[in-house]
Amino acid sequence: MHEGSMPGTSPVKNANRREFLKTSSAAAVGVGLAAQFSLARQAHAAENDDTIRIALVGCGGRGTGAIQDSLQANQRVKLIAMADAFGDRLNSSLDQLMRNGKIAPMIDVPEDRRFVGLDAYQKALATDCDLVILATPPGFRPIHFEAAVSANKHVFMEKPVATDAPGVRRVLAAVEESKKKNLGVGVGLQRRHHGGYIETIKRLQDGAIGDIIAARVYWNGGPPWVHRRSELKQQYGRDLSEMEYQLRNWYYFVWLCGDNIVEQHIHNLDVINWLKGAYPVKANGMGGSQVRRGPDYGQIYDHHCVEFEYADGTRMFSQCRQTEGCWSSISEHAHGSKGYADISGHEIFADGSKPSWQFPRGRRQRDYEQEHADLIASIRAGSPLNEGEYGAKSTMTAILGRMCTYSGQVLSWDDALASTVSYLPTELDFQAQPPVTPGADGMYAVPMPGITKVI
């Protein structure tokens, strides 16, 4: 019986499996480790049940995609529990997964391991899962990650890992606990598992274009989905509480999403942090909500432009925009003392207009699956990956940028990280009041540069 069993009190048969997961050995961690592990797994499979049991917390589009990627990327893994705030979303996710004939045999989620509600994550963690995928709206990530580490679970968590500085500090503290427990922690910054990115960054760090002087990063594209209040009322045949409405339309509320600079643009910012092996020391920026207006668009901006500065004086110029009919680019670029690199295109220009090096074209990269393969392989190897620190600090980089655009001020990393401004509600309940509510006209207050306080 799985429901109700508490961490640390698993049956004897699972003790052997967990012992295997702790003591298996392998040589290295990184791209290709899955192949190395396969040899170790075969060696032990005859005497150990090395199946890794996974619980999914957050069954929306990203969560459904994440568990699908994990099941497709690995063998001897099984989805054994699912949790979400909403039953209809959980059922829809499970139906979608079961229609995938390749992974359907790897799914064993009976009704007594389907958990619904704002406390559903606790019930999922109380099963005998080995690993939990955290894919709810990111505002919940610090709470769920803390609980997962406390329950001695390996974790894969989607980015970003928080929506405010207090949340980042909670994640960093939990990361330290996870290291003490030798728990695996993967973060959904999949570019770090993409062969083209890995090779390009290595060459740049080895000096392919000399000293890095500046970088440019972009996530300029169209608007994301929106769930309008009127459409939700029609779909469910009732008025939704304000909390339920915000949870179902979560992208447009800072406490849940973090704004698009945090929720999306973190990917591009993380690439330059990776290249630099460091994080910005200060930033300034501007932004606003110029095009996207209306009560269903909540309180976030539709564009941000930020200049980040690293300790060595290197600048990173960042843009993110969600507006139709404009120039689109999702890319990262580096400028050095001896050349230029299109990092996202995996090309280096050290000698002029023609690439002096480029990653082989046509080599298919499944980075969304590779990040799960690398995490699972490292756990089985007994040397779990722990990506929590850079996941938290790249999240903080994006939050620093947002704090600058919201306030209109130049802010230091240290002051931003020490901020006590928390966006989380004081009570998590469908009938509780969220931290922001609409005015009489149905509109939400949008942050105002020069007025909004962020520290």
Side-chain angles (χ1 to χ4, degrees), residues 296-317:
D296 289 305
Y297 295 118
Q299 57 178 156
I300 68 170
Y301 283 2
D302 56 23
H303 66 281
H304 303 256
C305 185
V306 181
E307 176 184 340
F308 294 92
E309 180 177 343
Y310 292 85
D312 65 358
T314 302
R315 258 64 170 184
M316 171 170 60
F317 301 97

Side-chain angles (χ1 to χ4, degrees), residues 56-59 81-85 90 113-117 120-121 124 136:
L56 173 63
V57 175
C59 303
M82 298 175 72
D84 198 280
L90 187 154
R113 290 202 296 269
R114 303 173 195 171
F115 307 110
V116 174
Y121 72 99
T136 62

Side-chain angles (χ1 to χ4, degrees), residues 188-426:
L189 294 165
Q190 76 280 356
R191 284 165 170 75
R192 294 195 184 227
H193 297 263
H194 185 289
Y197 274 98
I198 292 170
E199 184 63 25
T200 305
I201 293 293
K202 180 179 183 302
R203 287 172 180 267
L204 294 178
Q205 290 176 335
D206 288 343
I209 60 171
D211 296 331
I212 302 299
I213 299 170
R216 296 177 289 116
V217 292
Y218 308 96
W219 195 299
N220 290 335
W225 54 264
V226 59
H227 296 308
R228 302 182 188 282
R229 193 188 298 268
S230 59
E231 294 170 351
L232 291 170
K233 179 179 179 179
Q234 182 175 16
Q235 179 178 350
Y236 294 103
R238 57 181 170 81
D239 288 320
L240 276 62
S241 69
E242 181 63 25
M243 181 68 83
E244 181 178 356
Y245 165 69
Q246 293 191 16
L247 288 169
R248 291 192 181 275
N249 195 31
W250 63 267
Y251 200 92
Y252 298 94
F253 298 94
V254 177
W255 72 277
L256 286 161
C257 163
D259 208 318
N260 66 82
I261 188 174
V262 179
E263 205 281 331
Q264 281 184 325
H265 196 35
I266 179 178
H267 282 297
N268 315 109
L269 302 173
D270 177 65
V271 168
I272 305 305
N273 288 343
W274 176 20
L275 170 64
K276 292 292 297 177
Y279 301 90
V281 295
K282 65 180 179 181
N284 74 87
M286 62 180 66
S289 182
Q290 182 178 9
V291 175
R292 189 171 57 204
R293 299 183 182 205
D296 289 305
Y297 295 118
Q299 57 178 156
I300 68 170
Y301 283 2
D302 56 23
H303 66 281
H304 303 256
C305 185
V306 181
E307 176 184 340
F308 294 92
E309 180 177 343
Y310 292 85
D312 65 358
T314 302
R315 258 64 170 184
M316 171 170 60
F317 301 97
S318 121
Q319 295 179 17
C320 57
R321 178 175 58 203
Q322 295 179 327
T323 307
E324 291 181 338
C326 301
W327 173 64
S328 295
S329 179
I330 300 173
S331 59
E332 307 90 18
H333 310 262
H335 298 265
S337 57
K338 298 179 180 178
Y340 154 76
D342 177 352
I343 301 174
S344 45
H346 321 312
E347 293 181 321
I348 295 175
F349 300 78
D351 302 315
S353 59
K354 293 184 178 180
S356 53
W357 174 86
Q358 61 182 192
F359 189 71
R361 296 303 188 238
R363 186 185 298 180
R364 191 173 185 182
Q365 298 290 308
R366 298 177 181 270
D367 46 341
Y368 282 98
E369 294 183 4
Q370 190 63 52
E371 60 184 346
H372 290 279
D374 290 343
L375 176 62
I376 294 291
S378 73
I379 292 169
R380 284 176 166 149
S383 300
L385 290 172
N386 196 313
E387 303 172 342
E389 181 173 345
Y390 77 66
K393 291 185 175 178
S394 282
T395 296
M396 189 62 223
T397 301
I399 291 173
L400 168 62
R402 184 195 69 204
M403 294 168 84
C404 294
T405 62
Y406 279 8
S407 67
Q409 304 300 319
V410 177
L411 296 174
S412 73
W413 173 276
D414 290 343
D415 287 344
L417 182 58
S419 172
T420 58
V421 175
S422 172
Y423 291 95
L424 272 183
T426 55

Side-chain angles (χ1 to χ4, degrees), residues 3 11 67 109 146 166 240 291 316 362 451:
E3 186 178 9
I67 185 61
V109 188
E146 278 182 346
L240 276 62
V291 175
M316 171 170 60
I451 297 176

